[in-house]
Amino acid sequence: MDLSTIDAVDTHVHVEQDGHGCFALDRELLDASAAYFKADRDRTPTLERIAAHYRARRTAAVVFTVDAGAATGHPALSSEEIADAAAAHADILVPFGSVDPHGGRAAVARARRLITRHGVRGFKFHPSLQGFDPNDIRFYPLYEALAEAGVPALFHTGQTGIGAGLPGGRGIKLRHSNPMLIDDVAADFPELTIILAHPSVPWQDEAISIATHKANVYIDLSGWSPKYFPPQLVRAANSMLRHKVLFGSDYPVITPERWLADFAKLDIRDEVRPLILKENAVRVLGLAGAEPTDDRRA
């Protein structure tokens, strides 16, 4: 990837449809999330369309799906296929993988293969959708494998639009995505780079505290228009966490152009904007050849 051709790095982009016409979620969950986000555009662009969308905007994109088959009963999209297809768009796409934590040893082995054979640069977890507590020691071998490989783990935190408005939220439990559960993981795996996805409402203060306390923890700003960011998150991003927050949109439910337009109106210092939009992600993801754990400044 030629970073001179990139103006920003979007660290949170979902692949919701593969080349075979299969979807990452069932229709009820797709429709519920589209209603929650008031999405009035294509909810399921293919990887090729995602690449074209971001290339036209000079923005790199971290792309992934979520493997939640054990909890939802819905077959996951193939992280192998996503990573292999992303290789054809290496000028703009950064592939992350996803494995179902409930897979045990098979999940660990698959994660290792995704890294070594398919070039995956990190992993996405959604504790609420996948139905697991991140700090359960049964999943520690998986984190150990990621730490050994030097690739980051991106955890959904806080409220989720998946299942929102459905009876019982379709059984999806928000408590799994309390960032304090991930604080245990960060403490027990200091070599593992962790990204807390989204403003972590209703646990925003907890997320800020963790990112301040743990050198290996970062926050991405996806899933919300910046105009709705909690004020304490804006203050932290502007000051003590200026090197630890990352641009993320949550495309396709929020487009990068909408996010960036609203971010331009946010009260962020001029010298902090390039850190959030590009420089922090370049460092954390190792896009310039550095190790993902380099220069963790608070």
Side-chain angles (χ1 to χ4, degrees), residues 99-100 103-113 139-143 145:
V99 295
D100 195 321
R105 292 180 181 176
V108 176
R110 185 182 176 210
R112 294 186 188 277
R113 289 194 303 272
F139 309 117
Y140 273 28
L142 182 54
Y143 307 144

Side-chain angles (χ1 to χ4, degrees), residues 38-168:
K38 297 180 174 60
D40 57 358
R41 64 197 68 82
D42 183 3
R43 178 68 176 78
T44 55
T46 62
L47 189 78
E48 288 69 25
R49 289 174 59 192
I50 292 171
H53 189 93
Y54 278 83
R55 188 176 291 113
R57 289 155 181 81
R58 292 175 56 91
T59 300
V62 174
V63 293
F64 49 75
T65 188
V66 177
D67 187 339
T72 68
H74 185 78
L77 302 186
S78 169
S79 285
E80 290 82 359
E81 289 188 9
I82 290 172
D84 292 347
H89 304 281
D91 63 311
I92 210 74
L93 299 184
V94 179
F96 270 29
S98 180
V99 295
D100 195 321
H102 298 288
R105 292 180 181 176
V108 176
R110 185 182 176 210
R112 294 186 188 277
R113 289 194 303 272
L114 281 165
I115 296 165
T116 59
R117 300 183 187 178
H118 300 277
V120 160
R121 302 289 295 270
F123 283 81
K124 168 64 186 291
F125 298 99
H126 194 310
S128 291
L129 184 61
Q130 292 174 310
F132 78 106
D133 285 335
N135 62 347
D136 190 321
I137 61 171
R138 290 180 298 164
F139 309 117
Y140 273 28
L142 182 54
Y143 307 144
E144 183 178 356
L146 304 192
E148 288 177 354
V151 299
L154 171 64
F155 287 91
H156 171 95
T157 63
Q159 163 76 327
T160 179
I162 300 176
L166 297 177

